[in-house]
Amino acid sequence: MLQPGAHNPHLAPVRITDVSPRDGLQNESAFVPTARKIALINALSRTGVAEIEAGSFVSPTAIPQLADSDEVFRAIERIPGVTYSALVPNERGLERARAAAVNKIAVFTAASDSFTRRNIKATVQESLIRFRPIVTGAKRDGMLVRGYVSTAVFCPYEGRIPPARVRDVMKRLLDLGVDDISLGETIGKASPSDIRALLDTVMSHVESVRLSLHFHDTYGMAVANALTAWWDYGITAFDCSAGGLGGCPYAPGASGNVATEDLVFALKASGASVPVDEMLVVACAQQLSDAVRHPLNSRLSQFLHLRKPQPALKG
Ligand code: HMG
Ligand code: MG
């Protein structure tokens, strides 16, 4: 029988990127005040996560919820060892990231034109042309660069996406010089067998240490997908969001990212080494829930909240 992480002989610690300040807040109908965003990022910085996607330098017309990312980056406390990253769609975004002293930017495209057109007003091919000077400029300034490939299994407009298309876009991003790749399961519908088909196709074209998986959790499969990727393929980098908040306004129907606290709990329970304190993440999720004024989707947070002493019922 295989041991946990059998394909990863060094049992490398899992690297968690918390995307709640970006993916989480971009999909909220209400604008979360800047001070709340800063407090959230400062609290996440102390949970043990390796990276925090702290904002987005996109058009404020496209994502008004994150129009204050410049201010957020200037005010957060930066803890040594934590990477603070942000999305950048164009050269204007790169200028803003540079001015805000961002450690790492992420360019983002997809494996389907229909989604990419709606999301960044370009085809996949046009987006890759647009990214060349951005990647070069960011690297010249000493920033790290991530490349996202969204719709890595399903597109909300085109349906199932062949893994070979994802592989081809990923290879083009690597050719541009990005440091790492994140494959986005944008609509949260994939099952472990879909993830196996994807990883069987892409993994001979990227070093596993440069690959992150970004699962949304619409159908409740994200933890199973991540465990499959870790156990069977030795993937040790995952994006997730405190409280399971998240979603893209250009991917209708998609729900939040897998909750950081749920994924950390599941990985640790399966034998992985994860240097994140899930109880501190639960506290961040509570902070987020207060900020967005609705309950969140995390199993662990809900369970712990339910266990808290409840006010006595009257009557
Ligand atoms: P466009 O309208 O074609 O841009 O949008 P434009 O260059 O024509 O400019 C239009 C206006 O926007 C101009 O202002 C620009 O200055 C301004 P005006 O002259 O009209 O006053 N503008 C900007 N302002 C500030 N910063 C900027 C910027 N760019 C333009 N960077 C564009 C094209 C790509 C800019 C737009 O479509 C955009 O920003 N899209 C981003 C959409 C987005 O953020 N989607 C969510 C993130 S992706 C995601 O969630 C998936 C992921 O989580 C993985 C997964 O789950 O699969 C990553
Ligand atoms: Mg996402």
Side-chain angles (χ1 to χ4, degrees):
M1 201 175 99
L2 286 177
Q3 293 304 305
H7 294 278
N8 176 6
H10 307 296
L11 280 180
V14 173
R15 187 177 192 281
I16 295 289
T17 297
D18 189 288
V19 298
S20 58
R22 194 280 300 171
D23 209 328
L25 296 181
Q26 75 180 11
N27 207 34
E28 286 298 308
S29 46
F31 182 85
V32 169
T34 309
R36 292 259 197 183
K37 291 173 179 155
I38 295 164
L40 169 69
I41 295 163
N42 288 344
L44 284 169
S45 290
R46 292 176 169 79
T47 59
V49 299
E51 181 168 338
I52 301 172
E53 211 167 69
S56 192
F57 295 103
V58 299
S59 156
T61 311
I63 307 282
Q65 297 90 331
L66 300 180
D68 57 352
S69 286
D70 316 69
E71 214 180 323
V72 167
F73 265 93
R74 283 193 197 100
I76 52 176
E77 280 173 60
R78 305 199 192 199
I79 302 288
V82 179
T83 300
Y84 298 88
S85 53
L87 297 195
V88 163
N90 54 16
E91 297 214 51
R92 174 81 200 283
L94 178 60
E95 273 170 40
R96 290 174 62 200
R98 196 180 277 133
V102 169
N103 298 150
K104 178 173 177 182
I105 64 157
V107 292
F108 52 107
T109 185
S112 58
D113 279 335
S114 323
F115 176 75
T116 316
R117 274 207 188 91
R118 287 169 174 86
N119 198 34
I120 53 171
K121 299 192 183 167
T123 61
V124 174
Q125 167 69 8
E126 287 161 353
S127 72
L128 292 164
I129 293 169
R130 191 187 282 173
F131 294 161
R132 183 175 289 282
I134 301 174
V135 177
T136 310
K139 299 208 68 98
R140 198 178 41 228
D141 291 344
M143 296 182 211
L144 292 167
V145 182
R146 158 180 275 201
Y148 271 109
V149 186
S150 287
T151 65
V153 182
F154 290 100
C155 168
Y157 309 101
E158 294 178 28
R160 187 177 284 279
I161 301 295
R165 260 161 71 184
V166 182
R167 176 200 60 207
D168 293 348
V169 178
M170 180 190 82
K171 283 173 67 181
R172 300 269 311 270
L173 285 167
L174 288 168
D175 288 346
L176 287 181
V178 303
D179 297 284
D180 61 77
I181 292 285
S182 179
L183 300 182
E185 211 285 90
T186 316
I187 66 167
K189 189 178 175 182
S191 67
S193 58
D194 298 321
I195 299 310
R196 284 199 185 92
L198 176 66
L199 293 175
D200 284 341
T201 305
V202 302
M203 279 198 64
S204 49
H205 300 274
V206 60
E207 295 160 73
S208 63
V209 291
R210 296 174 74 189
L211 183 62
S212 297
L213 296 178
H214 176 111
F215 292 118
H216 285 262
D217 199 24
T218 317
Y219 287 72
M221 307 267 232
V223 166
N225 290 338
L227 290 180
T228 300
W230 173 71
W231 190 298
D232 291 353
Y233 293 85
I235 301 290
T236 52
F238 298 98
D239 301 346
C240 37
S241 167
L245 203 65
C248 176
Y250 303 95
S255 75
N257 297 76
V258 62
T260 305
E261 58 272 38
D262 289 350
L263 185 59
V264 169
F265 179 86
L267 283 162
K268 284 184 179 174
S270 308
S273 153
V274 193
V276 176
D277 183 335
E278 64 273 27
M279 299 309 289
L280 292 178
V281 180
V282 167
C284 293
Q286 184 59 54
Q287 211 175 310
L288 249 175
S289 177
D290 294 344
V292 298
R293 296 163 188 255
H294 61 74
L296 303 179
N297 291 325
S298 148
R299 296 292 175 97
L300 193 61
S301 288
Q302 280 171 6
F303 169 69
L304 291 170
H305 178 69
L306 290 175
R307 285 209 326 175
K308 274 205 284 199
Q310 300 295 312
L313 288 175
K314 288 198 182 126

